[in-house]
Amino acid sequence: MAALILPATLLVLLLLVAPLALLLRISLNEYSPTQLMVEALSPANYLRAVADPYYQEVMATTMTVALSCTLLALLLGLAPAYWLARMESRWKSLAMILTLFPLLVGNVVRAAGWMALLGRDGAINAALQGLGLSGEPLTLLYTRGAVIAGILAVVAPYMILTLAAVIEGIPRQVEEAAANLGAGPLTAFRRVVLPLAAPGVAAGCVLVFILCMNAYATPVLLGGPQFKMMAPAVYDQFVKGTNWPFGAALAFLLLAVTLTLTVIGGAMLGRRTR
């Protein structure tokens, strides 16, 4: 058995652990405008990232957006996931393909589509003005709502497919038993199906939350230069500021916060399941 997992273990160490170790070493260096990076073993970059009010606000914005998108994806994904899991017609394969289809389109292309919809001269403003519901174009693009909508469109298929896979494994008999005991469809779903689907809910929320915390293209294109999240902030430090040590520290801070919130959220969901 050890011989079978050894190649995969070595591949993970090579492609994941080694780059992270190198990035950790870079984060402890010092930045120099002339030499770009000076070797050191200093926690100054982490202390600056934690103490700076600007990056505190950026992290708070990132967590707020990620939690909002995760909750919305769960609420909006439950009904489609249940419908997809219980479908027995020959069109189920087509429904699965249509659910997967958005994943075949790049985030930048999808963000460009949202820009065409939400811009001042976009389709939504044109429709509102054409119907007489708005006298002037509304500011829909470069807002927090636009970012949440764009990220939600990216992560919703992951939530739906994860929930559908778990609900499909729940026998229909438990719902029929609940109906025989007088429970309506909503009551049966809330008190029978949803608790049994708790592992899928936890897995879907963790997956979606991690994707939202690390979103890059959508916040940049739909949020504009004034809307900051952690992934674009890390990119700015590496590429625009050429401050690799501080950028590496921000990357590890984002990783630490993501893992901490994921573990806490998983523990809370697990406790509610028990």
Side-chain angles (χ1 to χ4, degrees), residues 70 72-86 156-170 189 193-194 196-205 207-208:
T70 302
L72 287 173
L74 177 61
L75 294 177
L76 297 177
L78 281 171
Y82 181 83
W83 174 75
L84 192 62
R86 294 307 189 209
Y158 293 99
M159 180 67 79
I160 293 173
L161 293 173
T162 303
L163 293 175
V166 176
I167 295 174
E168 194 170 8
I170 299 174
F189 180 81
V193 176
L194 196 56
L196 293 175
V201 172
C205 288
L207 175 61
V208 167

Side-chain angles (χ1 to χ4, degrees), residues 59 250-262:
M59 181 60 76
L250 288 178
F252 268 97
L253 181 62
L254 175 60
L255 176 63
V257 172
T258 302
L259 290 178
T260 301
L261 293 179
T262 299

Side-chain angles (χ1 to χ4, degrees), residues 76-135:
L76 297 177
L78 281 171
Y82 181 83
W83 174 75
L84 192 62
R86 294 307 189 209
M87 183 184 294
E88 295 181 348
S89 70
R90 59 179 180 174
W91 302 107
K92 183 171 184 177
S93 297
L94 178 61
M96 290 287 292
I97 293 174
L98 292 177
T99 305
L100 285 168
F101 185 77
L103 302 180
L104 305 179
V105 182
N107 292 347
V108 175
V109 176
R110 277 185 281 192
W114 280 103
M115 294 173 71
L117 285 175
L118 301 176
R120 293 184 64 85
D121 297 324
I124 294 179
N125 272 316
L128 292 175
Q129 290 179 287
L131 295 173
L133 300 177
S134 176

